[in-house]
PDB file of all heavy atoms in Angstrom:
ATOM      1  N   GLY A  27      -9.572 -13.804  -3.238  1.00 98.00           N
ATOM      2  CA  GLY A  27      -8.435 -13.050  -3.753  1.00 98.00           C
ATOM      3  C   GLY A  27      -8.849 -12.385  -5.053  1.00 98.00           C
ATOM      4  O   GLY A  27     -10.018 -11.997  -5.207  1.00 98.00           O
ATOM      5  N   GLY A  28      -7.917 -12.282  -5.995  1.00 98.00           N
ATOM      6  CA  GLY A  28      -8.170 -11.536  -7.225  1.00 98.00           C
ATOM      7  C   GLY A  28      -8.763 -12.356  -8.349  1.00 98.00           C
ATOM      8  O   GLY A  28      -9.951 -12.701  -8.315  1.00 98.00           O
ATOM      9  N   ASN A  52      -9.325  -9.613  -0.355  1.00 98.00           N
ATOM     10  CA  ASN A  52      -7.964  -9.429   0.155  1.00 98.00           C
ATOM     11  C   ASN A  52      -7.424  -8.041  -0.195  1.00 98.00           C
ATOM     12  O   ASN A  52      -7.554  -7.593  -1.333  1.00 98.00           O
ATOM     13  CB  ASN A  52      -7.059 -10.498  -0.473  1.00 98.00           C
ATOM     14  CG  ASN A  52      -5.593 -10.278  -0.151  1.00 98.00           C
ATOM     15  OD1 ASN A  52      -5.245  -9.945   0.984  1.00 98.00           O
ATOM     16  ND2 ASN A  52      -4.735 -10.468  -1.149  1.00 98.00           N
ATOM     17  N   ASP A  55      -2.322  -7.210  -0.909  1.00 97.00           N
ATOM     18  CA  ASP A  55      -1.484  -6.965  -2.100  1.00 97.00           C
ATOM     19  C   ASP A  55      -1.523  -5.499  -2.474  1.00 97.00           C
ATOM     20  O   ASP A  55      -0.956  -5.108  -3.486  1.00 97.00           O
ATOM     21  CB  ASP A  55      -2.021  -7.638  -3.379  1.00 97.00           C
ATOM     22  CG  ASP A  55      -2.352  -9.074  -3.284  1.00 97.00           C
ATOM     23  OD1 ASP A  55      -2.143  -9.639  -2.217  1.00 97.00           O
ATOM     24  OD2 ASP A  55      -2.807  -9.614  -4.295  1.00 97.00           O
ATOM     25  N   PRO A  66      -5.331  -4.397  -6.106  1.00 98.00           N
ATOM     26  CA  PRO A  66      -5.457  -5.300  -7.249  1.00 98.00           C
ATOM     27  C   PRO A  66      -6.570  -6.343  -7.113  1.00 98.00           C
ATOM     28  O   PRO A  66      -7.280  -6.616  -8.087  1.00 98.00           O
ATOM     29  CB  PRO A  66      -4.094  -5.983  -7.338  1.00 98.00           C
ATOM     30  CG  PRO A  66      -3.167  -5.086  -6.590  1.00 98.00           C
ATOM     31  CD  PRO A  66      -3.983  -4.439  -5.523  1.00 98.00           C
ATOM     32  N   ASP A  67      -6.720  -6.913  -5.924  1.00 98.00           N
ATOM     33  CA  ASP A  67      -7.718  -7.984  -5.797  1.00 98.00           C
ATOM     34  C   ASP A  67      -9.142  -7.426  -5.839  1.00 98.00           C
ATOM     35  O   ASP A  67     -10.022  -7.990  -6.504  1.00 98.00           O
ATOM     36  CB  ASP A  67      -7.471  -8.813  -4.535  1.00 98.00           C
ATOM     37  CG  ASP A  67      -6.241  -9.717  -4.689  1.00 98.00           C
ATOM     38  OD1 ASP A  67      -5.577  -9.636  -5.739  1.00 98.00           O
ATOM     39  OD2 ASP A  67      -5.944 -10.501  -3.772  1.00 98.00           O
ATOM     40  N   PHE A 168       4.985  -8.174  -1.107  1.00 97.00           N
ATOM     41  CA  PHE A 168       4.289  -9.050  -2.053  1.00 97.00           C
ATOM     42  C   PHE A 168       4.520  -8.637  -3.506  1.00 97.00           C
ATOM     43  O   PHE A 168       4.884  -9.460  -4.341  1.00 97.00           O
ATOM     44  CB  PHE A 168       2.780  -9.079  -1.763  1.00 97.00           C
ATOM     45  CG  PHE A 168       2.033  -9.865  -2.806  1.00 97.00           C
ATOM     46  CD1 PHE A 168       2.000 -11.253  -2.754  1.00 97.00           C
ATOM     47  CD2 PHE A 168       1.417  -9.231  -3.881  1.00 97.00           C
ATOM     48  CE1 PHE A 168       1.349 -11.987  -3.738  1.00 97.00           C
ATOM     49  CE2 PHE A 168       0.769  -9.955  -4.861  1.00 97.00           C
ATOM     50  CZ  PHE A 168       0.739 -11.340  -4.789  1.00 97.00           C
ATOM     51  N   VAL A 217      -1.315 -16.199  -0.150  1.00 98.00           N
ATOM     52  CA  VAL A 217      -1.187 -14.766  -0.402  1.00 98.00           C
ATOM     53  C   VAL A 217      -2.518 -14.072  -0.697  1.00 98.00           C
ATOM     54  O   VAL A 217      -2.556 -12.848  -0.791  1.00 98.00           O
ATOM     55  CB  VAL A 217      -0.154 -14.466  -1.522  1.00 98.00           C
ATOM     56  CG1 VAL A 217       1.241 -14.808  -1.031  1.00 98.00           C
ATOM     57  CG2 VAL A 217      -0.463 -15.195  -2.809  1.00 98.00           C
ATOM     58  N   SER A 218      -3.591 -14.840  -0.837  1.00 98.00           N
ATOM     59  CA  SER A 218      -4.899 -14.197  -1.021  1.00 98.00           C
ATOM     60  C   SER A 218      -5.811 -14.422   0.182  1.00 98.00           C
ATOM     61  O   SER A 218      -6.371 -13.481   0.731  1.00 98.00           O
ATOM     62  CB  SER A 218      -5.588 -14.725  -2.291  1.00 98.00           C
ATOM     63  OG  SER A 218      -4.918 -14.254  -3.450  1.00 98.00           O
TER      64      SER A 218
HETATM   65 CA1   CA F  28      -3.899 -11.051  -5.319  1.00 73.39          CA
END
Side-chain angles (χ1 to χ4, degrees):
N52 172 42
D55 309 358
D67 287 3
F168 174 80
V217 292
S218 290

